Amino acid sequence: MAPYSLLVTRLQKALGVRQYHVASVLCQRAKVAMSHFEPNEYIHYDLLEKNINIVRKRLNRPLTLSEKIVYGHLDDPASQEIERGKSYLRLRPDRVAKVAVPSTIHCDHLIEAQVGGEKDLRRAKDINQEVYNFLATAGAKYGVGFWKPGSGIIHQIILENYAYPGVLLIGTDSHTPNGGGLGGICIGVGGADAVDVMAGIPWELKCPKVIGVKLTGSLSGWSSPKDVILKVAGILTVKGGTGAIVEYHGPGVDSISCTGMATICNMGAEIGATTSVFPYNHRMKKYLSKTGREDIANLADEFKDHLVPDPGCHYDQLIEINLSELKPHINGPFTPDLAHPVAEVGKVAEKEGWPLDIRVGLIGSCTNSSYEDMGRSAAVAKQALAHGLKCKSQFTITPGSEQIRATIERDGYAQILRDLGGIVLANACGPCIGQWDRKDIKKGEKNTIVTSYNRNFTGRNDANPETHAFVTSPEIVTALAIAGTLKFNPETDYLTGTDGKKFRLEAPDADELPKGEFDPGQDTYQHPPKDSSGQHVDVSPTSQRLQLLEPFDKWDGKDLEDLQILIKVKGKCTTDHISAAGPWLKFRGHLDNISNNLLIGAINIENGKANSVRNAVTQEFGPVPDTARYYKKHGIRWVVIGDENYGEGSSREHAALEPRHLGGRAIITKSFARIHETNLKKQGLLPLTFADPADYNKIHPVDKLTIQGLKDFTPGKPLKCIIKHPNGTQETILLNHTFNETQIEWFRAGSALNRMKELQQ
């Protein structure tokens, strides 16, 4: 792939502001990864080493692996302030000899699972032709590689092609940390951050703390890499990793395959971690060699001291897990940190009233669709087939990439899973992100599904709030789909074959990589042309799928007076609650249309309902987006009040774009998830937290709020909030923020994009 050439600078200087907005739409419309397709040409371990040595002399202490990679990519290693949890680092992801940052576009969200991979892909290409054409032509025009529909999921493609030990890579999806399985610091960001990096601007990240997870013993039997992260999620909870990199180390690491490490890092997003990473070892070298990157592995061997932690390095928190004692886990429902051993989940389900019958088992996704995953599932399937059994539950298989699909077809795994009753879906996210045309239940019907995915928030997979989704390993999903019940424990329980004889499933065993080469399958990659002068990117002004972004209004220089409360949210509010996926994903390129899903999943504390809020003017209850549009039309600025870890989940930037587009000015919560807080800042909103979390209870949905202190808005200085109750009484509270000087300029300019434009003029 040709290196990527300063997209935003080209757009602004050569084509003007209109096409600059194409870059923004591009980052919203698809997933974008900043990385190297030909890393050989660009890997500069010598520069990494030079920067590490500068920082090592300054800090005069052993460094963790995370610190080596992150600090090794500092824009100014000699002068940058470095303090974990406090400093804002200016980084160069991934610093190269040229002035450009190679980038690729991925479109894995728009293929709806319906009847099977080939037909579903054909249908998606027809329905989404306008969008795919936009992505292809925009990529061709501005030198960005395009992975066509059907290529697979961005994270699997990155692992197969882009990630390497020591890389600093950003991608516009929260599960970008998947690349940590190859020893890189790979971080999920919003689209506005991606635009910064594309434009050659140093990327800013709050200096992360480092949580160490020491692994001892070795995995065996039914225990899998997925169980490591399911256990860690149970320990740290969905916000325990916020502001930190999770760094795995210890002798147990070598018992985990490279793709298994990727699984663990991938799902680290569910604990709020900035990213997760493993030290370089022989399992990574083996994977690099098998995927055609042996020369990179050899180079990594030479610089291995910089790709592992220093002896005696300090972790801000340390967790120890003995893999030899780790039991298979299953987490859920409704949250990925509700951990249960598989042996106990049936009893818990009976006690809690969760449906025991499993309606659907789903394996694959970006988290668990490796060759090894498919092989272990096929090993379970073969045992059941030998006794004449098929799945009692419906069963689906989602390959993570075209390469995985082609290889499991060639080696017979796919057919074994079909023989069991499975349907092989398209190489895409599918049901994992709500792209599932589910027909076996009605909305509101209470049911249980079991997946090998990473998230199981309410309604995420099928838009049904009564679907109890559980997350576990692919082999456990397969075993449970055969048994059809949560009460089945494959380690101890028996099945009955068609001959009437009882048998027990043996723990699966499979090769971590194919014995031969991977089958690359169909060529689905579009190289950008060498000469892009004849390329055009057209966006119809009447399109219902694509809309060029218009600049948001600047701050007017005044305090925010009498803000109306659009909604006071009760409990968990993920980015899925704020901007639902599923059928809404087709509008990701059209901000006004997708804004009709704003906060429709959030629970209003006033009435305990979703998508029902009081209009302060008419006093009538109605949908959240309609109420927000009413306020915008009548010049009423508004605010959202949220609970803990607001914005948990996907890096979905629309969850920040939509409230800004519909007239929001601030989001006030007990705490934020990292990516969402940054996304809000980028769009000119004020993400603020209660100095005293108990002040959440002082605010009522009928109140009005005034935020003071914006004229003297400075880092570390709280803002004042006056709560005005309908009876005329007032209360004053303090609101904290994490803005630095640069981010305050974003607010004043109206957005980070506006500020970038100001600096270019």
Side-chain angles (χ1 to χ4, degrees):
M1 185 198 327
Y4 180 72
S5 301
L6 287 180
L7 173 63
V8 175
T9 303
R10 273 191 182 179
L11 286 170
Q12 287 188 313
K13 291 184 177 178
L15 299 170
V17 174
R18 174 181 168 83
Q19 293 301 325
Y20 169 62
H21 290 150
V22 171
S24 302
V25 175
L26 189 64
C27 288
Q28 310 307 330
R29 174 59 270 168
K31 297 177 182 178
V32 179
M34 266 55 73
S35 55
H36 304 305
F37 189 67
E38 299 163 349
N40 234 29
E41 186 179 340
Y42 306 115
I43 291 178
H44 281 243
Y45 281 141
D46 53 348
L47 181 58
L48 186 75
E49 180 178 54
K50 177 183 176 182
N51 289 350
I52 290 172
N53 288 338
I54 292 172
V55 172
R56 191 188 296 281
K57 288 179 181 178
R58 289 182 56 200
L59 299 183
N60 193 29
R61 61 170 173 77
L63 300 176
T64 67
L65 169 60
S66 308
E67 290 179 307
K68 289 181 181 181
I69 301 176
V70 173
Y71 303 162
H73 287 83
L74 286 169
D75 186 49
D76 183 5
S79 305
Q80 167 75 59
E81 180 186 21
I82 301 172
E83 185 176 356
R84 288 188 198 170
K86 293 186 178 180
S87 307
Y88 279 90
L89 306 180
R90 291 173 65 80
L91 304 167
R92 292 283 184 178
D94 180 71
R95 190 159 186 171
V96 295
K98 299 179 177 67
V99 295
V101 179
S103 307
T104 50
I105 302 166
H106 306 254
C107 57
D108 52 20
H109 266 27
L110 286 179
I111 303 174
E112 185 179 50
Q114 193 176 63
V115 295
E118 188 176 340
K119 291 182 179 179
D120 291 348
L121 176 58
R122 193 182 309 129
R123 177 171 172 263
K125 287 180 177 179
D126 180 54
I127 293 173
N128 304 311
Q129 182 179 7
E130 177 187 14
V131 175
Y132 293 147
N133 180 64
F134 167 73
L135 298 177
T137 55
K141 180 67 176 177
Y142 303 115
V144 188
F146 176 47
W147 288 91
K148 301 174 187 176
S151 300
I153 308 171
I154 181 173
H155 314 298
Q156 183 67 29
I157 292 173
I158 284 176
L159 201 71
E160 294 171 354
N161 297 279
Y162 302 149
Y164 60 84
V167 69
L168 177 60
L169 180 151
I170 70 168
T172 57
D173 187 276
S174 56
H175 292 103
T176 301
N178 192 76
L182 260 177
I185 294 294
C186 303
I187 301 175
V189 300
D193 274 355
V195 170
D196 284 356
V197 178
M198 286 174 160
I201 298 172
W203 174 57
E204 197 169 67
L205 175 72
K206 193 169 188 179
C207 188
K209 295 184 177 181
V210 187
I211 298 173
V213 179
K214 183 178 181 180
L215 303 178
T216 59
S218 61
L219 290 172
S220 62
W222 284 92
S223 296
S224 73
K226 187 66 164 277
D227 298 308
V228 176
I229 186 57
L230 294 176
K231 178 71 173 180
V232 170
I235 295 170
L236 288 176
T237 77
V238 291
K239 63 175 184 175
T242 302
I245 294 175
V246 178
E247 183 174 310
Y248 294 86
H249 63 283
V253 167
D254 287 341
S255 76
I256 304 173
S257 66
C258 177
T259 52
M261 295 182 216
T263 290
I264 294 168
C265 292
N266 177 295
M267 200 175 157
E270 306 336 309
I271 56 175
T274 301
T275 192
S276 302
V277 67
F278 277 84
Y280 177 65
N281 69 356
H282 71 281
R283 308 298 280 265
M284 295 182 191
K285 181 174 183 178
K286 187 175 180 181
Y287 184 80
L288 285 167
S289 298
K290 185 64 74 171
T291 51
R293 295 172 285 173
E294 186 174 4
D295 50 350
I296 299 174
N298 293 335
L299 192 59
D301 283 343
E302 294 181 32
F303 288 85
K304 186 173 181 179
D305 287 348
H306 300 303
L307 305 174
V308 296
D310 287 341
C313 64
H314 170 71
Y315 295 102
D316 297 284
Q317 181 180 350
L318 184 64
I319 297 168
E320 296 193 32
I321 297 176
N322 185 339
L323 300 179
S324 300
E325 298 175 354
L326 184 64
K327 289 292 185 181
H329 273 62
I330 181 168
N331 288 21
F334 305 126
T335 184
D337 60 350
L338 186 56
H340 321 274
V342 171
E344 299 175 12
V345 71
K347 292 179 181 178
V348 176
E350 284 184 316
K351 179 182 177 183
E352 298 293 335
W354 303 332
L356 291 171
D357 291 341
I358 298 170
R359 298 294 291 267
V360 191
L362 307 99
I363 66 170
S365 81
C366 67
T367 317
N368 276 110
S369 60
S370 68
Y371 185 82
E372 181 182 35
D373 289 329
M374 297 294 112
R376 284 173 68 89
S377 294
V380 174
K382 284 175 69 175
Q383 297 179 60
L385 290 168
H387 290 84
L389 297 185
K390 290 192 174 185
C391 288
K392 289 186 178 178
S393 310
Q394 293 184 43
F395 187 47
T396 70
I397 303 96
T398 305
S401 69
E402 171 61 9
Q403 178 169 277
I404 290 295
R405 182 209 63 78
T407 306
I408 65 172
E409 288 286 3
R410 181 196 68 190
D411 294 353
Y413 291 165
Q415 190 56 50
I416 291 169
L417 297 172
R418 286 194 193 95
D419 292 343
L420 191 69
I423 297 174
V424 179
L425 301 174
N427 314 322
C429 298
C432 184
I433 49 87
Q435 285 287 32
W436 185 15
D437 185 19
R438 190 176 181 190
K439 302 293 189 182
D440 63 299
I441 60 162
K442 295 180 180 178
K443 190 168 183 178
E445 182 180 343
K446 196 173 180 180
N447 74 103
T448 285
I449 65 172
V450 179
T451 84
S452 70
Y453 303 160
N454 41 44
R455 291 200 173 125
N456 56 352
F457 302 142
T458 302
R460 178 175 173 87
N461 303 119
D462 60 3
N464 180 10
E466 289 300 323
T467 293
H468 293 55
F470 294 83
V471 176
T472 186
S473 67
E475 53 265 47
I476 292 294
V477 172
T478 307
L480 292 177
I482 293 166
T485 175
L486 281 178
K487 292 190 72 175
F488 181 69
N489 177 10
E491 289 190 303
T492 58
D493 295 344
Y494 288 82
L495 296 168
T496 302
T498 53
D499 59 2
K501 295 181 180 179
K502 292 185 179 295
F503 72 98
R504 198 166 69 191
L505 295 169
E506 297 296 326
D509 186 34
D511 294 331
E512 64 179 283
L513 295 166
K515 289 184 171 64
E517 298 301 316
F518 276 107
D519 184 338
Q522 299 179 35
D523 183 4
T524 55
Y525 177 70
Q526 173 185 294
H527 289 269
K530 292 182 179 179
D531 181 6
S532 62
S533 58
Q535 297 290 330
H536 297 281
V537 181
D538 294 320
V539 178
S540 169
T542 61
S543 172
Q544 294 301 301
R545 298 291 300 275
L546 298 169
Q547 179 188 48
L548 292 177
L549 295 175
E550 296 295 331
F552 292 130
D553 60 303
K554 288 186 175 183
W555 174 55
D556 62 8
K558 302 175 183 178
D559 287 335
L560 296 172
E561 297 282 347
D562 293 331
L563 296 173
Q564 194 65 55
I565 296 170
L566 177 66
I567 183 173
K568 181 179 179 182
V569 179
K570 178 182 179 182
K572 185 185 283 283
C573 190
T574 71
T575 48
D576 281 271
H577 293 87
I578 304 167
S579 178
W584 291 98
L585 291 176
K586 63 178 174 286
F587 295 124
R588 288 183 77 178
H590 198 292
L591 179 55
D592 194 57
N593 282 347
I594 200 171
S595 293
N596 288 322
N597 74 2
L598 175 65
L599 286 158
I600 62 175
I603 301 300
N604 180 8
I605 200 169
E606 187 174 7
N607 56 11
K609 296 180 180 180
N611 203 24
S612 176
V613 295
R614 183 196 302 271
N615 183 313
V617 178
T618 67
Q619 294 301 307
E620 296 177 354
F621 280 85
V624 182
D626 292 357
T627 307
R629 288 187 186 279
Y630 180 96
Y631 289 161
K632 180 179 181 180
K633 181 180 179 181
H634 291 84
I636 301 170
R637 297 183 295 185
W638 50 264
V639 62
V640 170
I641 307 300
D643 212 315
E644 293 277 6
N645 207 30
Y646 185 90
E648 168 193 347
S650 297
S651 62
R652 197 164 297 151
E653 194 160 21
H654 296 85
L657 283 162
E658 292 174 31
R660 184 73 165 96
H661 174 63
L662 294 184
R665 284 296 182 265
I667 313 291
I668 305 172
T669 73
K670 293 180 182 177
S671 63
F672 285 98
R674 174 188 64 87
I675 299 177
H676 186 59
E677 182 180 24
T678 301
N679 285 347
L680 291 169
K681 291 178 182 178
K682 288 274 186 177
Q683 303 309 332
L685 283 154
L686 289 171
L688 306 170
T689 56
F690 296 105
D692 179 358
D695 288 342
Y696 169 87
N697 298 316
K698 294 180 179 179
I699 297 177
H700 306 288
V702 292
D703 295 337
K704 290 186 178 181
L705 305 181
T706 291
I707 298 174
Q708 296 180 337
L710 293 175
K711 293 180 181 179
D712 301 315
F713 195 11
T714 54
K717 183 179 179 181
L719 297 173
K720 187 182 294 184
C721 177
I722 300 174
I723 307 169
K724 300 179 180 180
H725 302 298
N727 63 6
T729 61
Q730 296 184 358
E731 297 179 74
T732 300
I733 62 173
L734 293 179
L735 301 175
N736 292 334
H737 65 85
T738 61
F739 281 81
N740 60 26
E741 290 286 1
T742 300
Q743 294 166 346
I744 290 172
E745 290 301 321
W746 299 343
F747 168 74
R748 289 172 177 154
S751 72
L753 292 179
N754 287 358
R755 180 57 179 161
M756 189 187 297
K757 181 182 174 184
E758 288 178 351
L759 294 174
Q760 298 263 331
Q761 291 176 341

